Amino acid sequence: MLVLSRKKNESIVINDSITLVVVEIRGDKVRLGIEAPKDVSVHRKEIHDAIKNSQRNSEKRRPEAVLS
């Protein structure tokens, strides 16, 4: 894992297309602004995990294709 230090209003660029900006630091919370292309999904980790779990559960309920 790469760990970087940033101050308020400083940025990190990922792959020339995603920019993270430290918008605010208040106590132990950091607010980030994220600029990304529309085709890139951006979610908090707990939301991402819930989406993945939901997808896995729906795949388990789906009947397998019958090969003939």
Side-chain angles (χ1 to χ4, degrees):
M1 175 189 306
L2 174 64
V3 178
L4 302 171
S5 296
R6 298 280 74 201
K7 294 179 182 177
K8 184 176 177 181
N9 297 321
E10 292 184 335
S11 302
I12 296 170
V13 177
I14 301 170
N15 201 28
D16 290 330
S17 62
I18 300 171
T19 302
L20 292 107
V21 179
V22 178
V23 174
E24 183 179 20
I25 303 168
R26 199 184 291 175
D28 64 345
K29 290 191 178 187
V30 177
R31 293 184 71 208
L32 299 175
I34 303 167
E35 295 178 12
K38 291 185 183 217
D39 63 329
V40 175
S41 296
V42 178
H43 300 286
R44 295 186 327 241
K45 181 161 183 356
E46 61 272 19
I47 301 299
H48 174 77
D49 292 346
I51 292 168
K52 291 297 180 187
N53 286 336
S54 176
Q55 289 172 344
R56 276 190 229 114
N57 290 338
S58 67
E59 288 174 2
K60 287 179 185 177
R61 285 184 249 134
R62 195 177 310 151
E64 293 186 29
V66 177
L67 300 175
S68 42

